[in-house]
Amino acid sequence: MSDDDFLRVTDVSKWYGEEQVLHDVSFEMDRGDVTVLIGPSGSGKSTMLRCVNRLAEAQEGSILLDGEEVLSPDLDVDELRREVGMVFQGFNLFAHLTAVGNVALGPRRVLGLSETEARERAEDQLERVGLADQLDSYPAELSGGQQQRVGIARALAMEPKLMLFDEPTSALDPELIGEVLEVMHGLVDEGMTMLVVTHEMSFARAVADEIVFLDDGRVVERGPPEQLFERPEEERTGRFLERIASHD
Amino acid sequence: MSVAGTLALAAVESLGAAARATAGAPPTGLSTAFVGDAVDWEFVFRNADYLGVGALLTIGLTVASILLGFVVGFPAGAVEVYGDGYLKRAVTVAGIVLRGTPIVVILIVMYFVVGVPQINLGVASISSAMTAGILGLGLRSAAYQSQIFRATLASVDDGQLEAGRSIGLSRFEAVRYVVVPQALRRSIPGFQNEFTIVLKDTSIVFAIGLAELLTRGYDLFSEQTTAVLEVILFISAIYFVLTFTTNRALDRLGSYYAIPEGEST
Amino acid sequence: MASATRPATVRERVAESDRSVGRLLLVAAGALFWGWLAVSWVNRWLGGVLVPVGQPLVPPAAVEATLAGIPVLAAYAADAGFVVEMTPDLARGTWLTVVITGVSLALGFVIAVPLAVTRVYGRFSAWVSLAYTELLRGTPLLAQLFVLYYGLNLASYVPDAVSGVFAREVVWVAILGFTLNGAAYQAEYIRGALESVEEGQITAGRAIGLSKLETIYHVVLPQGLRYAIPSWTNEFVYLIKYSSLAGFITVPELYYRADQIAAETFRYTLIFLVTGVMYLALVLTASKLMVRVEERVAIPGLGAEREE
């Protein structure tokens, strides 16, 4: 816990109306780290993720990203989101744009690249996720796995310093999950800093530097995967892992 | 007929009396009435160019009104979806009033109450009846178009806006580049409907004496009262061809801009 | 995601109370409007039991005098007196507007249901139905009224049996025109609604031994017509507004009366603003009424999204 943590989440709390969905959540990551948030549905892990790029607003606590306070009211939210990529559970590809169009929109409109530059960058990113042959396909013409890879390319095209993944494989048919995880593996190898919400335990185990287990909006336990998976200290963690394992 | 609404109604009255008088001995029957008289058809075709100019005016009036309706109606629809406070309420109330009042009343109000002037463009001038017609039809169309756009803007999934925001687009940019292009495509069927309504309702500028297709038809059969049916059937056919071709053209536009294989969630 | 149940802000509460005051005013205005119409009509039918036929319910001079005494409203006293003076004519015209709209809508519905059913389930008859709706929807209503009135001179063919119902035979021509035209539009709405009833419903109906026609009548229509209510409300509203076109074939309905007064007095602004408000009142009443109807006949899990 040094002062130069890349991302430091401290005592973040959030309410939806009367209902408190996050209770004093804290964790931190170094540059290049992969942190995986796990927990039962409704545990607040997606909400926590969304607080980091302010798609959800935390009411209390602090989120320091690269030394800057994310929760500050003076922060330029658009600037923040430019630097933090996000991949959605439901892909949320722009339905009216081709794969290239989806990826090029940000570079073109946000970064102000020229039409050609934006397209080139989009093509590069799509190649990076293995979709060089689907550049001009519309989202509805792609499989779920391909759509999600476009979603990843769209986020990467902004050259983010942090990538957020919100259950990127939950909406996919089982046979399509592999291709998306493979792309994510590739990013890990390249040294991308990633905060991931997922139920893919084998993936978490393989790539995570730290696992954070959330239940009922609270951090129950956190630690390196070996420790958390092999020797959970909390009973709740053990029960959750067993339930997940029996589903696999 | 170039004078005013009341005069139009007065003329209608006297012509009606004339029609009843000439029809004192009822025609031989509806079947012959439908076929019409060769002499009267000849009269119609002799005046085809006169009606043709009327048809051009009808088209011009329609296009101008639809454009005005779009320019005003699209932002109005956006305000109803994304706006709040007094602006939103003002837009809503204006819409209810314009949608709840007969177009003929709106036109009369534009013509007599607002008292729109003749507009001189140097090469050509737009008569005050034309201006009133465009304003009346255009603003009413804006009220209906705003409902079309309101519905389609709201129908675009929230995740689209969120994804736009996640790559750093501002709220306005995300609406502009992500939501609007999808909403506009979905608006085409409603827009098609609106186009035909405006086209047909241009006939109601008859009330303010603008010499479009129906008014010219009326002038013609006032002149030769035996040709009433022939004239009206002829102009009805023109209207039908216009609505039919417009609809097919917009069908084409719809399939041209359609997003392949429907839309993802 | 959990729904937001955060307490209302002050601004929202103000807006909310604004709305309820607005609603109350609207209801009061509606009651006044319909009360005035009802009393005017009854007075006329009974030969002027309250005030002589053709006279306003309250003396214009009295209204004028009262308003003249109130500082802010004094400037409008003369206008108000003038409006009161024209109320008997407007009430008479509104009666015809309401009757023409109501009768045409009902008759149009009777034609529209078989038109829609043949369009969806018929073979040859589907083409007839299609041709009818396309033709009627593809030409202006005003042109259609002209065909009936000037072209076919139908006013002189009104059967004796019904010719005494209205002071002018031409009212029947208008009703016929709106019925034929409205039927085409109503048929389109009903067709759309019928098509939204699931295929499985028909299969299930046939499976329990109903004939095709019986299935349509007992299973499809009860569902389809409920789906049709919102769009059918639009047609109701359209008809109220377009009934003003009857004025152009000399039917003395609301618009015609207003236009006549305007021609005599040249007070277009005032007269047509009042007329516009009256149509608006009719339209708002109709749409509120249809919302009630929709709620009354609602079945859980059945029904289309409303558009306002």
Side-chain angles (χ1 to χ4, degrees):
Chain A
M1 254 204 244
S2 57
D3 273 341
D4 53 312
D5 289 323
F6 177 63
L7 177 72
R8 179 189 286 204
V9 176
T10 316
D11 293 337
V12 165
S13 293
K14 170 161 181 64
W15 289 260
Y16 282 119
E18 304 293 302
E19 190 192 350
Q20 186 166 5
V21 292
L22 292 176
H23 297 262
D24 300 324
V25 175
S26 302
F27 62 91
E28 53 281 322
M29 305 170 64
D30 278 333
R31 204 181 289 272
D33 270 2
V34 177
T35 296
V36 175
L37 303 178
I38 63 171
S41 56
S43 60
K45 49 195 194 307
S46 285
T47 306
M48 182 59 242
L49 191 79
R50 282 159 178 264
C51 287
V52 175
N53 72 345
R54 298 266 300 262
L55 282 179
E57 296 288 353
Q59 280 97 346
E60 282 176 13
S62 149
I63 299 176
L64 284 178
L65 175 63
D66 220 358
E68 233 186 311
E69 178 55 64
V70 167
L71 300 184
S72 158
D74 304 327
L75 179 96
D76 181 346
V77 180
D78 297 334
E79 174 76 38
L80 166 75
R81 290 176 184 157
R82 219 165 291 169
E83 295 172 348
V84 179
M86 175 139 183
V87 176
F88 297 88
Q89 181 180 357
F91 323 140
N92 290 357
L93 292 190
F94 305 133
H96 64 302
L97 298 175
T98 60
V100 162
N102 263 276
V103 182
L105 186 70
R108 176 89 183 90
R109 300 295 171 190
V110 179
L111 304 180
L113 299 191
S114 76
E115 201 78 54
T116 9
E117 286 170 332
R119 184 169 170 103
E120 270 168 24
R121 183 183 285 207
E123 285 172 358
D124 290 347
Q125 295 304 332
L126 285 167
E127 202 171 331
R128 190 171 171 192
V129 299
L131 286 173
D133 54 342
Q134 298 285 357
L135 299 180
D136 294 314
S137 301
Y138 283 92
E141 297 172 319
L142 298 172
S143 74
Q146 291 171 325
Q147 289 193 49
Q148 192 57 295
R149 280 144 71 196
V150 176
I152 294 172
R154 178 173 70 184
L156 289 175
M158 303 300 290
E159 298 177 339
K161 55 186 183 188
L162 169 67
M163 283 282 283
L164 306 175
F165 291 85
D166 186 6
E167 302 200 29
T169 57
S170 300
L172 294 174
D173 291 336
E175 74 272 20
L176 300 174
I177 291 177
E179 57 188 81
V180 173
L181 291 181
E182 198 180 316
V183 169
M184 290 171 67
H185 263 291
L187 292 178
V188 174
D189 294 343
E190 291 172 27
M192 176 66 75
T193 314
M194 293 161 61
L195 181 58
V196 183
V197 171
T198 187
H199 292 296
E200 293 298 321
M201 292 305 150
S202 46
F203 173 79
R205 202 170 185 146
V207 304
D209 297 290
E210 185 174 61
I211 308 275
V212 177
F213 174 58
L214 284 169
D215 193 8
D216 216 8
R218 291 182 177 83
V219 176
V220 177
E221 186 171 356
R222 42 185 283 221
E226 319 70 76
Q227 180 205 316
L228 205 106
F229 285 118
E230 306 298 338
R231 307 175 298 278
E233 285 170 8
E234 299 289 327
E235 193 207 339
R236 269 197 286 177
T237 318
R239 261 188 291 146
F240 171 73
L241 290 171
E242 267 169 39
R243 251 201 337 271
I244 289 277
S246 66
H247 276 286
D248 274 348
Chain B
M1 197 54 54
S2 60
V3 197
T6 34
L7 298 188
L9 271 192
V12 160
E13 191 92 72
S14 63
L15 183 65
R20 278 192 295 279
T22 53
T28 36
L30 292 185
S31 56
T32 55
F34 260 113
V35 179
D37 197 336
V39 179
D40 292 326
W41 279 117
E42 197 264 322
F43 169 76
V44 172
F45 292 125
R46 196 156 19 92
N47 288 289
D49 54 342
Y50 178 71
L51 293 174
V53 174
L56 286 180
L57 265 171
T58 294
I59 294 169
L61 189 57
T62 307
V63 171
S65 306
I66 284 285
L67 286 179
L68 176 63
F70 180 79
V71 168
V72 178
F74 187 79
V79 165
E80 287 201 50
V81 177
Y82 300 109
D84 55 9
Y86 289 107
L87 180 63
K88 181 178 177 180
R89 233 202 275 185
V91 166
T92 308
V93 170
I96 289 174
V97 169
L98 283 167
R99 288 191 300 274
T101 316
I103 183 63
V104 63
V105 173
I106 296 174
L107 287 170
I108 299 264
V109 167
M110 286 298 160
Y111 190 66
F112 289 99
V113 180
V114 179
V116 286
Q118 178 170 330
I119 296 176
N120 217 320
L121 295 176
V123 276
S125 69
I126 303 175
S127 71
S128 55
M130 186 77 177
T131 316
I134 293 171
L135 271 180
L137 286 164
L139 290 180
R140 196 215 27 177
S141 181
Y144 278 105
Q145 289 189 40
S146 73
Q147 296 310 287
I148 298 172
F149 298 129
R150 190 190 66 152
T152 53
L153 284 170
S155 77
V156 176
D157 187 67
D158 281 343
Q160 295 283 317
L161 192 64
E162 206 170 53
R165 298 303 305 273
S166 82
I167 55 169
L169 293 172
S170 71
R171 186 173 154 86
F172 177 80
E173 287 170 332
V175 171
R176 159 77 183 76
Y177 296 116
V178 176
V179 181
V180 167
Q182 298 182 46
L184 281 183
R185 285 178 172 83
R186 294 183 193 183
S187 301
I188 290 179
F191 197 72
Q192 198 168 24
N193 204 16
E194 178 59 20
F195 207 103
T196 24
I197 289 175
V198 172
L199 178 60
K200 286 181 289 175
D201 280 357
T202 54
S203 62
I204 301 173
V205 298
F206 178 75
I208 51 175
L210 179 59
E212 46 63 69
L213 186 53
L214 186 89
T215 311
R216 283 175 182 242
Y218 187 91
D219 289 350
L220 276 188
F221 71 69
S222 311
E223 188 183 309
Q224 184 158 337
T225 49
T226 55
V228 172
L229 191 66
E230 289 80 358
V231 170
I232 308 177
L233 289 181
F234 186 75
I235 63 168
S236 297
I238 297 180
Y239 277 113
F240 186 75
V241 169
L242 288 178
T243 52
F244 191 82
T245 42
T246 312
N247 275 326
R248 294 297 86 80
L250 285 173
D251 277 345
R252 281 284 182 83
L253 190 74
S255 47
Y256 181 79
Y257 279 111
I259 298 163
E261 307 224 346
E263 280 149 8
S264 74
T265 45
Chain C
M1 224 178 252
S3 64
T5 53
R6 117 202 108 78
T9 64
V10 175
R11 190 173 162 193
E12 280 165 343
R13 262 176 282 157
V14 170
E16 192 51 48
S17 66
D18 265 19
R19 255 194 293 275
S20 56
V21 169
R23 198 162 299 149
L24 210 64
L25 279 175
L26 215 60
V27 170
L32 192 70
F33 176 73
W34 285 103
W36 158 64
L37 282 178
V39 174
S40 304
W41 295 339
V42 169
N43 180 57
R44 171 167 283 275
W45 297 329
L46 299 181
V49 282
L50 296 173
V51 292
V53 171
Q55 293 293 312
L57 296 179
V58 286
V63 173
E64 205 173 327
T66 317
L67 286 184
I70 305 169
V72 188
L73 300 176
Y76 304 104
D79 287 347
F82 177 76
V83 170
V84 171
E85 215 167 319
M86 55 191 239
T87 50
D89 269 354
L90 294 181
R92 276 185 81 182
T94 308
W95 169 247
L96 266 185
T97 295
V98 169
V99 169
I100 291 174
T101 305
V103 174
S104 309
L105 195 68
L107 292 178
F109 182 72
V110 172
I111 302 176
V113 171
L115 268 179
V117 170
T118 52
R119 178 80 190 280
V120 178
Y121 301 107
R123 287 187 194 87
F124 172 70
S125 53
W127 287 99
V128 178
S129 169
L130 175 70
Y132 178 85
T133 46
E134 285 298 301
L135 207 60
L136 272 283
R137 283 158 29 93
T139 52
L141 178 52
L142 191 53
Q144 290 163 19
L145 290 176
F146 279 8
V147 168
L148 297 180
Y149 183 64
Y150 296 121
L152 301 176
N153 193 25
L154 283 186
S156 50
Y157 295 95
V158 173
D160 290 341
V162 295
S163 69
V165 177
F166 301 110
R168 312 267 312 265
E169 273 94 357
V170 69
V171 175
W172 285 110
V173 179
I175 289 177
L176 179 69
F178 293 132
T179 300
L180 295 178
N181 180 275
Y185 283 92
Q186 290 191 49
E188 275 300 290
Y189 295 134
I190 297 172
R191 177 181 70 93
L194 290 182
E195 283 171 351
S196 67
V197 176
E198 285 172 56
E199 193 70 32
Q201 298 286 319
I202 297 175
T203 318
R206 299 305 296 274
I208 59 167
L210 293 173
S211 73
K212 187 170 177 186
L213 214 58
E214 284 170 334
T215 309
I216 292 170
Y217 185 79
H218 292 292
V219 179
V220 179
L221 279 178
Q223 298 181 36
L225 291 181
R226 283 185 171 85
Y227 282 124
I229 291 176
S231 50
W232 194 79
T233 303
N234 288 346
E235 176 55 22
F236 190 1
V237 167
Y238 276 127
L239 199 51
I240 292 171
K241 292 189 292 169
Y242 284 109
S243 70
S244 58
L245 298 186
F248 290 99
I249 58 169
T250 74
V251 174
E253 44 66 72
L254 180 54
Y255 166 73
Y256 184 91
R257 299 260 175 201
D259 197 79
Q260 281 202 321
I261 303 170
E264 284 162 22
T265 60
F266 283 96
R267 303 206 56 182
Y268 282 93
T269 314
L270 189 56
I271 290 164
F272 278 101
L273 288 183
V274 171
T275 310
V277 169
M278 289 187 56
Y279 275 109
L280 195 59
L282 293 176
V283 163
L284 289 179
T285 307
S287 52
K288 297 277 177 246
L289 192 73
M290 290 311 297
V291 171
R292 284 287 167 80
V293 169
E294 195 181 352
E295 286 167 0
R296 275 294 279 280
V297 301
I299 295 175
L302 243 189
E305 289 282 308
R306 279 200 65 79
E307 55 167 339
E308 278 184 337

